[in-house]
Each structure stands twice: as structure tokens, then as C-alpha cells.
Amino acid sequence: MKIIDEFKAFILRGNVIDLAVGVVIGTAFNAVVKSLVDDIIMPPIGYLLGGVDFSNLFFTVSGKHYPTLAEARAAHAVTVNYGTFINTVISFLIIGASVFVVVKMVNHLWQKRSEGEETDPATKSCPFCVSMIPVAATRCPNCTSELEEGKTVTKAA
């Protein structure tokens, strides 16, 4: 029973649940971006480039020509699908830019929040590794340095 209790405590910790929610949202976001690239962005670009369908850009390793990728796959031909790769790279760039913007916004919010906070009197900063530790600590749990008793160092900026 002890292992079941430990597993339950592990699963119910906030960061595990946050990670699970992040994975689910990330998967859904990936589907939206894939549709955006395949159905909205690439068709006009293909049209502007003379009616090119990027998802159908490929060549066979054997050199034999097939009109479409579906026909090449049906014939079990070995293909290099560079059009699909282009779509994937564009999806990656959109996802990367979106994640960058979200992280930048969250960092900005955290910075504004931390500017208004006062230091917690129950913690102090380790003078060696600058991590926050309990005031009563005599040894830093992060860098294992011995601390002078009674010495409280203010929170590092």
C-alpha cells in the first residue's frame, strides 16, 4: 500500500498535473498550427509560385516518376518528401514564435509581480549560491555550504 500512496502523492503534485495539461494543450496547439500551415498559409504561397502543392513535392530515389505522392506510396516507391518537410519547418517556426511570445509575456508578468513583493521574513539568501533557504538553516540544502548562525542575508536583486 505504501507504493500506491507514494504514487498517488506523486501524481497529485501540482507540477505533474501542470505538465500533463501542458502536453494536452501542446498537442491541440500543434494540430491547429498544422492546419494553419497546410490549409491556410501554403495554398496561397503555392498559388503565387505557379500552382505548386507543397505537400505533393517529392522525388523517388529510383528516379521513376509518379504524378502524385499518393501514387508513389501506393507503388511502394522510396520517396524523399521535401514538400512535407517544408510544411513541417514552417509549422515549427510558427510554434517556436508562439512559444517565444508566450514565455516573454509570462516573464514580463512575473517581473512585474516580483517588483511589488517584499522579501519573505521566513527565508534568507545563501551567501554562497544565492538560493532562497529557511532563516533557521545552518547549512544550505543546495550548495551544502555551512552558514553562520543568526546571519540573515537579504534577498538578492
Side-chain angles (χ1 to χ4, degrees):
M1 276 317 248
K2 184 178 180 186
I3 290 184
I4 293 173
D5 291 336
E6 289 178 19
F7 180 71
K8 191 186 310 181
F10 171 75
I11 290 298
L12 294 177
R13 284 200 319 215
N15 54 357
V16 174
I17 294 171
D18 291 345
L19 178 63
V21 169
V23 168
V24 170
I25 290 174
T27 302
F29 184 68
N30 183 44
V32 170
V33 170
K34 181 170 176 27
S35 176
L36 174 71
V37 170
D38 294 345
D39 303 328
I40 306 295
I41 295 175
M42 295 312 285
I45 291 174
Y47 176 76
L48 292 173
L49 295 175
V52 176
D53 178 10
F54 280 85
S55 63
N56 222 12
L57 294 177
F58 71 98
F59 64 87
T60 59
V61 174
S62 66
K64 187 173 180 183
H65 178 72
Y66 295 93
T68 65
L69 180 58
E71 290 179 27
R73 286 185 175 162
H76 301 290
V78 178
T79 60
V80 176
N81 308 320
Y82 62 92
T84 305
F85 178 74
I86 291 170
N87 285 350
T88 304
V89 167
I90 292 171
S91 293
F92 172 77
L93 292 174
I94 291 172
I95 290 172
S98 301
V99 169
F100 173 76
V101 168
V102 167
V103 168
K104 192 145 180 77
M105 288 179 357
V106 168
N107 285 341
H108 181 70
L109 291 174
W110 275 107
Q111 182 181 11
K112 280 192 168 213
R113 180 176 172 231
S114 65
E115 287 173 358
E117 291 180 358
E118 294 182 19
T119 59
D120 184 1
T123 61
K124 64 182 178 181
S125 177
C126 172
F128 301 101
C129 70
V130 195
S131 60
M132 295 308 293
I133 57 174
V135 171
T138 58
R139 183 178 291 270
C140 177
N142 300 305
C143 68
T144 69
S145 299
E146 287 191 31
L147 308 171
E148 296 177 29
E149 285 192 45
K151 183 177 181 184
T152 304
V153 181
T154 57
K155 186 174 180 181

